[in-house]
Amino acid sequence: MSRTRNLEALPKTFSISLPADADGYIGRECPQDDCKRYFKVTPGTGLKGISTCRCPYCGHEGPSKTFFTRAQIDHALSVVKNKVVGAFLKDMKAMEFNHRGGGIGLSMKVHGQPPPIRGYSEQDLETESLCDACSLRYAIYGVFGFCPDCGAHNNLSILDANMRVVAKMLSLAATVDAEVATSLVENALEDCVSAFDGWGRAVCEVFAAKAADPAKAGKISFQNVMRAQEALKIHFGFDADVVLGLEAVAVLHRAFQKRHLLAHRLGVVDDDYLRQTGDPTIRHGCRIGISASEVEATAAGVRAWAEALNAHLGRLP
């Protein structure tokens, strides 16, 4: 009988299962040295039979086996060491002896324990996303990211989530007294503009490499419609007037300028507002008015702009 039968009985390769966390997620880590960021996916969702993975942060794509986290690798190595050292100790234990005779004693005793298996737990992350394109459930730091399976960017899903909050604020405004309703409608407009600005900045940063001047393209502000429109034409060749129509852009511009007055002048009209919008319905020094229907139209216009720009950027080489 072989003296190393326990070692020889071990498989040539080991298959180590990685337990999911309480929400069904398993951690992943980008293998790129300049990224190395952590995210999580839910096995069984998303594309079936896929063997590649994409980093939601930097977009790096590679074999799924290259996205194991450091903690998972350390856990797997500890399992293998535990089994190999355990088998070795058993084989050595079987070789123990104790011979005595002629006044001389010779013995061998084996001591030791297999190294412990190193446990690990998955980290908590800020944003959980459900990919609209392939239904993968994944979690990331921050808000925006690529789907690790199909590569679709989640920017429209994030914008839609913010627009749903805006819609809820408008619905609530219809059920309360006039003073509170006015405040809710104005806050809904501010939230709509802020969501669009955050969305636009993130998208331009993600697709900046497709622009002639990535540094400037990645810093476009969307709080002023006309300035954003001009910057998008220069850096990405996207003309909102052509895609959405002059009137639609003008409606958005007027609403965004109203939001500027609310945020910086308590809603009081100044010459800059009148010059930029040509609004004939109000005079200098009066307080601006904004209706729920205007905010609804603004939200719809923002969504149309976002969808059109997202599609345009996706087609760029």
Side-chain angles (χ1 to χ4, degrees), residues 225-237:
V225 167
M226 294 307 179
R227 291 175 188 167
Q229 178 195 28
E230 188 62 28
L232 290 173
K233 280 197 292 186
I234 293 172
H235 295 293
F236 293 108

Side-chain angles (χ1 to χ4, degrees), residues 35-62:
C35 184
K36 295 291 186 184
R37 299 188 70 186
Y38 174 86
F39 59 100
K40 296 191 292 188
V41 300
T42 303
T45 63
L47 301 177
K48 307 303 178 186
I50 190 170
S51 59
T52 61
C53 186
R54 184 188 300 264
C55 174
Y57 309 108
C58 72
H60 169 74
E61 186 176 1

Side-chain angles (χ1 to χ4, degrees), residues 187-211:
N187 287 336
L189 176 63
E190 292 202 42
D191 286 355
C192 183
V193 174
S194 295
F196 184 58
D197 183 48
W199 171 87
R201 289 173 185 267
V203 168
C204 287
E205 184 177 352
V206 167
F207 291 98
K210 296 188 174 188

Side-chain angles (χ1 to χ4, degrees), residues 43-103:
T45 63
L47 301 177
K48 307 303 178 186
I50 190 170
S51 59
T52 61
C53 186
R54 184 188 300 264
C55 174
Y57 309 108
C58 72
H60 169 74
E61 186 176 1
S64 293
K65 64 182 180 181
T66 62
F67 281 79
F68 292 118
T69 70
R70 184 70 256 174
Q72 290 169 346
I73 293 172
D74 289 343
H75 166 73
L77 289 174
S78 72
V79 171
V80 174
K81 289 178 181 178
N82 177 273
K83 293 182 179 296
V84 171
V85 174
F88 174 74
L89 289 173
K90 286 181 180 180
D91 287 335
M92 294 299 294
K93 191 75 173 175
M95 299 179 194
E96 289 183 339
F97 61 86
N98 185 4
H99 297 306
R100 295 185 180 276

